[in-house]
Amino acid sequence: MLPLLALAASTAAPAKDVFINTPRTTLMLSVNEGETPRIHYYGTRLRPGQAREVYDAMSINYDAYPAFGRDSFDETALSVTHADGNMSTELAVTGMRTEGDVTIISMKDKKYDFFVDLCYKAGAASDVIETWSVLRNGEKKAVRLEQYASGVVAVRQEGAWLTHFHGNWGQEAQMTEEPLTPGLKTIVSHDGVRTAMGERAEVMLSLDGRPAENSGRVIGAALCWTGNYKLRIDTRGKHCHTLVAGIDDLHTAYTLRPGETFTTPELAMTYSTEGKGGVSRAFHRWGRAGKLHNGRALREILLNSWEGVYMNVNQPVCEQLMDGLKELGGELFVVDDGWFGRKYRRTYDDKALGDWVTDTEKLPDGIPALVRAAEARGLKFGIWIEPEMVNTTSELYEQHPDWVVAHPTRELSKGRGGTQLVLDMSNPKVQDFVVGIVDGLVRENPTLHYIKWDCNMSMQNFGSSYLTADRQSHLFVDYHLGLRKALERIRAAHPSLVIQLCASGGGRVNWGFMPYFDEFWVSDNTDAQQRLFIQWGTSHFFPPMAMAQHVSASPNHQTGRVIPLKFRFDVAMTGRLGMEMKPSDLSDDERSYAKRAMAFYKEIRPVVQLGDQYRLVSPYDGNGFCSEMFVSEDKSEAVFFCYKFQNYVGLDAPRWHMAGLDPDASYRLEEFGSTERQHFFEGKSFAGSFLMETGIDAPLSGQFASRVIRLRRQ
Ligand code: DGJ
């Protein structure tokens, strides 16, 4: 008999019908001893007893963890070569239990001692369900995992659409929305190191046709894995869609010795009837509730030295940047690339990665002097590192040439600067080295507040001097398990250090990283117009509080575009605000505006960073407008942003319809920093329902016009 009674407490449905419940959703499975578990429903939370309706309505009936080898005509999650060479697996349920908020369905191959625990985690804090599997080899000899995905989402609905994100350096998170048609759609990362440098591991399935921001049924799914992944969306006929998501199965066969286990990364999913925005808000809340490191703390306004001075950092230059930041009201100064190297100095990007000692020609009194200078101005201090990388022109490479990812027989393919290589994180000595970089910086500078952790190369050479010949195919996975071990050690030792995730911009934006990082650099492209698109895409799955958005110089360094300071601030203020320029390059008028803008941001920061985001008018609509807003959890405060980034005669701003407000409350509207003519709404009060249904008129004139309107409940 199955030990199903433990579950009966959480559902009054017949024991074999398992409800994985969040406050507003249910994933329903059937779990019967001797059979494979099946998915039957994912949607709005079911009442006890509604399982019968699911069956009577002929809903989905799909393997919860399909294995290859028997009746496996569709996409599979698991494929194993057993110790005797048999490539087929047939899983059957042996039991089920709950541990805290995790439901664990135990399975075993019908003939072999190969075990799978299929896990579902669903808490009360958010509507996100996480699923993963634990694979255990109980056979007498090694087995080979050929495919070991995390989980499955199954949907039965004709006319469904897919939203996904792709891009490259400087154009991350570009959104594509398309109907799902029969066939297989595959989304992969083969970078090896920078998991989001290209396509992203997050998708939405809109079940009511063309995706809408604030209406319609939408499922969102995100694979939480820092390495290569594959999402397969298989559409059979017009109405059966299956998403199988997991670690990429190419060149990643993984051997389990007898007794060894492998735990797959989590696939996080949510369901909303409030459109894509509902999915986003669920993911944002899940992040703030724990998946994001330190997700409840407000993030500071910082100035990062990169676009201001690039590698030309030195004491006076940094102090000048600090003075500028201090005058504007900033809170944290970060010295970017260029501060290190002894034998080989980091004057250009072709040397010194790996040699994390101060370049005393640039900074004669070392980093402690920079920390003191920052603190004397009331600023906190942060520093850039790229710990997983090395240049061949470095002392580290001279000492440890075998620490790099490469095969010793091959000529090296080098990255940035023509000399960059990736360190082999599967090697415990390299893990110790990486942990030691952070420990060393904190030891030398006990008040160090922030680290920018960069990563600017893909795995261009395949091979590990650490892994044995028969385990070379573990590299793509063991690199990331090693990285995770290092990050866990760093977090155990330095829980309150703020760490930014950066990878040539947003090349690593993935939930697999976020338990260790407080925020991420959204893109090296700081052009405010392009940022509207990049940030729009990124916010679909990632909370604005974690999105580093910096005001940079005009003309912009990446595009040459000239954009007014107000517009640049208004775009940057929808996430974690910062600066990426020399404040001294601003005119007096601009500096005084920047000062007011930072003070204003501090006032709205709790709403932007801890509130709910509502995307309203999409820049992808092609009309040259964009708008979004943020509403505090108790709905007492909100901030509305709108932008115009195209210009031609007759291009009139749309009527702005707000969202997320309390319909019965009255809100007073107050605009910040407008260069537009003051409008009728200024200082007036409106019902939440009126602002959402009828909306307001707020014209925008010229190109790069924007408005920020603060709403306070009366
Ligand atoms: C790439 C990052 O994305 C930039 O912000 C900057 O830190 C450079 N690396 C420094 O080399």
Side-chain angles (χ1 to χ4, degrees):
M1 267 300 286
L2 266 178
L4 287 178
L5 284 179
L7 200 84
S10 61
T11 166
K16 69 176 182 128
D17 305 315
V18 176
F19 285 17
I20 312 288
N21 284 331
T22 69
R24 294 195 294 183
T25 73
T26 296
L27 173 68
M28 185 185 130
L29 305 159
S30 60
V31 182
N32 292 306
E33 190 173 12
E35 297 175 15
T36 55
R38 313 276 294 176
I39 302 172
H40 298 286
Y41 172 88
Y42 188 30
T44 295
R45 184 164 169 152
L46 296 177
R47 288 186 307 279
Q50 273 193 291
R52 185 197 54 74
E53 294 174 27
V54 171
Y55 293 121
D56 289 350
M58 277 274 291
S59 304
I60 326 155
N61 184 353
Y62 201 84
D63 255 6
Y65 200 65
F68 172 75
R70 191 163 183 277
D71 297 332
S72 52
F73 313 112
D74 297 324
E75 288 301 309
T76 53
L78 179 74
S79 168
V80 183
T81 302
H82 296 279
D84 64 358
N86 182 355
M87 289 176 64
S88 71
T89 298
E90 203 181 347
L91 297 174
V93 170
T94 57
M96 185 165 68
R97 65 186 191 279
T98 52
E99 286 178 10
D101 50 11
V102 182
T103 302
I104 302 165
I105 301 166
S106 294
M107 294 180 274
K108 180 188 167 303
D109 185 282
K110 284 187 175 171
K111 301 281 183 210
Y112 291 80
D113 286 335
F114 185 83
F115 302 88
V116 176
D117 275 353
L118 182 59
C119 307
Y120 291 94
K121 181 175 179 191
S126 80
D127 282 308
V128 171
I129 296 173
E130 295 168 59
T131 180
W132 68 93
S133 63
V134 182
L135 314 172
R136 181 165 68 84
N137 177 15
E139 300 181 31
K140 298 223 160 30
K141 290 191 188 146
V143 302
R144 218 168 119 93
L145 307 178
E146 316 284 353
Q147 188 180 59
Y148 37 106
S150 296
V152 168
V153 175
V155 179
R156 192 174 173 132
Q157 177 63 57
E158 75 287 349
W161 278 56
L162 172 70
T163 302
H164 60 110
F165 306 90
H166 54 93
N168 211 324
W169 180 87
Q171 42 159 339
E172 293 89 338
Q174 302 297 300
M175 183 174 79
T176 291
E177 313 208 280
E178 56 192 301
L180 280 169
T181 53
L184 185 64
K185 173 92 186 172
T186 313
I187 293 173
V188 293
S189 169
H190 288 156
D191 184 278
V193 181
R194 295 169 304 177
T195 183
M197 184 52 81
E199 299 184 58
R200 294 216 163 162
E202 301 88 31
V203 292
M204 291 193 191
L205 305 176
S206 291
L207 307 186
D208 294 316
R210 191 177 284 278
E213 271 304 333
N214 290 306
S215 63
R217 296 167 301 150
V218 183
I219 291 173
L223 185 75
C224 314
W225 176 237
T226 63
N228 287 355
Y229 60 79
K230 187 178 280 177
L231 311 186
R232 288 167 277 155
I233 302 134
D234 187 18
T235 298
R236 296 169 310 287
K238 285 196 179 129
H239 58 268
C240 287
H241 314 281
T242 319
L243 164 68
V244 184
I247 290 176
D248 185 30
D249 52 8
L250 192 64
H251 315 304
T252 44
Y254 207 91
T255 305
L256 288 187
R257 296 193 186 103
E260 282 185 341
T261 59
F262 186 91
T263 302
T264 68
E266 312 90 290
L267 170 66
M269 60 181 111
T270 195
Y271 169 88
S272 173
T273 54
E274 292 171 21
K276 294 193 300 170
V279 165
S280 302
R281 288 184 289 281
F283 270 90
H284 298 176
R285 279 180 182 228
W286 172 66
R288 293 197 300 271
K291 195 71 174 175
L292 170 68
H293 186 261
N294 215 357
R296 301 224 186 260
L298 290 176
R299 274 55 175 158
E300 284 126 344
I301 303 175
L302 64 82
L303 183 142
N304 182 55
S305 66
W306 182 242
E307 282 196 33
V309 297
Y310 293 99
M311 287 190 195
N312 304 317
V313 294
N314 58 43
Q315 187 79 24
V317 152
C318 288
E319 290 197 20
Q320 204 189 9
L321 292 173
M322 291 177 197
D323 284 336
L325 178 65
K326 168 79 187 155
E327 184 201 337
L328 301 184
E331 297 158 320
L332 164 67
F333 171 76
V334 182
V335 63
D336 205 284
D337 199 351
W339 60 269
F340 54 95
R342 182 171 40 201
K343 179 171 170 191
Y344 305 105
R345 299 178 51 227
R346 184 77 168 170
T347 47
Y348 191 61
D349 63 5
D350 60 349
K351 31 185 163 347
L353 284 181
D355 300 346
W356 302 106
V357 285
T358 315
D359 176 349
T360 45
E361 280 190 45
K362 289 182 186 170
L363 296 163
D365 300 316
I367 299 303
L370 281 184
V371 179
R372 280 196 299 277
E375 288 175 353
R377 291 164 175 81
L379 299 171
K380 293 175 180 166
F381 181 81
I383 196 163
W384 178 96
I385 50 176
E386 193 176 356
E388 299 150 75
M389 302 287 156
V390 66
N391 290 120
T392 49
T393 314
S394 70
E395 294 183 66
L396 182 73
Y397 187 69
E398 287 170 350
Q399 288 154 17
H400 300 289
D402 57 325
W403 277 12
V404 300
V405 171
H407 195 276
T409 57
R410 301 275 172 216
E411 198 180 324
L412 291 167
S413 164
K414 295 173 198 152
R416 189 179 182 197
T419 59
Q420 186 159 334
L421 294 172
V422 180
L423 291 175
D424 182 358
M425 292 300 298
S426 73
N427 183 341
K429 287 198 181 122
V430 175
Q431 294 162 28
D432 291 345
F433 170 76
V434 165
V435 173
I437 299 168
V438 177
D439 286 346
L441 282 167
V442 175
R443 205 175 313 114
E444 185 190 40
N445 308 284
T447 56
L448 182 70
H449 183 70
Y450 179 103
I451 278 183
K452 175 174 177 178
W453 181 302
D454 206 347
C455 169
N456 292 300
M457 193 179 160
S458 34
M459 215 181 270
Q460 289 174 209
N461 306 282
F462 190 85
S464 164
S465 305
Y466 171 74
L467 295 171
T468 52
D470 60 335
R471 296 206 149 204
Q472 289 291 306
S473 64
H474 289 206
L475 179 59
F476 279 136
V477 171
D478 281 355
Y479 180 96
H480 290 276
L481 296 182
L483 173 60
R484 193 157 76 190
K485 276 188 196 154
L487 290 168
E488 266 159 17
R489 285 166 62 189
I490 288 169
R491 272 310 180 196
H494 314 288
S496 56
L497 198 60
V498 179
I499 311 184
Q500 183 193 77
L501 173 69
C502 173
S504 320
R508 269 185 159 177
V509 176
N510 182 288
W511 276 109
F513 279 107
M514 298 327 296
Y516 312 103
F517 292 86
D518 301 70
E519 61 168 38
F520 55 83
W521 184 220
V522 172
S523 175
D524 270 353
N525 187 343
T526 56
D527 172 290
Q529 175 174 341
Q530 275 199 276
R531 272 291 185 128
L532 282 177
F533 290 82
I534 298 170
Q535 293 170 187
W536 187 269
T538 305
S539 74
H540 274 66
F541 280 90
F542 296 92
M545 72 181 310
M547 292 170 54
Q549 306 186 166
H550 295 183
V551 172
S552 65
S554 181
N556 177 267
H557 290 193
Q558 293 80 43
T559 61
R561 215 187 316 266
V562 173
I563 296 185
L565 188 66
K566 171 176 165 55
F567 193 93
R568 283 179 274 152
F569 260 102
D570 289 354
V571 172
M573 277 200 275
T574 57
R576 198 277 285 134
L577 175 67
M579 292 197 92
E580 191 82 19
M581 64 180 300
K582 280 190 197 154
S584 57
D585 284 346
L586 295 170
S587 68
D588 289 350
D589 282 352
E590 285 176 324
R591 272 211 303 287
S592 109
Y593 180 78
K595 219 166 158 172
R596 286 173 48 223
M598 282 197 191
F600 175 71
Y601 179 75
K602 285 179 190 164
E603 287 177 28
I604 61 167
R605 172 161 52 186
V607 183
V608 171
Q609 294 193 6
L610 305 176
D612 283 323
Q613 182 192 33
Y614 290 81
R615 289 183 302 269
L616 302 168
V617 174
S618 169
Y620 285 87
D621 288 352
N623 301 325
F625 293 98
C626 175
S627 79
E628 62 185 277
M629 69 188 292
F630 298 84
V631 183
S632 64
E633 278 197 26
D634 67 359
K635 299 195 183 289
S636 63
E637 280 205 60
V639 201
F640 168 86
F641 294 84
C642 62
Y643 312 91
K644 177 175 178 232
F645 56 91
Q646 279 176 16
N647 194 25
Y648 49 84
V649 173
L651 183 61
D652 293 330
R655 185 93 178 161
W656 304 109
H657 296 270
M658 301 195 183
L661 300 170
D662 174 354
D664 301 325
S666 168
Y667 293 91
R668 185 172 189 271
L669 272 54
E670 205 182 319
E671 187 168 6
F672 168 75
S674 186
T675 47
E676 303 288 314
R677 89 191 135 82
Q678 237 197 19
H679 212 62
F680 304 115
F681 57 73
E682 181 63 24
K684 312 269 174 58
S685 295
F686 300 84
S689 56
F690 185 92
L691 292 168
M692 295 191 284
E693 286 166 33
T694 309
I696 59 163
D697 211 29
L700 294 166
S701 53
Q703 197 168 13
F704 302 122
S706 54
R707 289 182 188 261
V708 184
I709 303 168
R710 190 168 180 194
L711 293 84
R712 274 180 278 199
R713 191 162 56 194
Q714 294 303 287

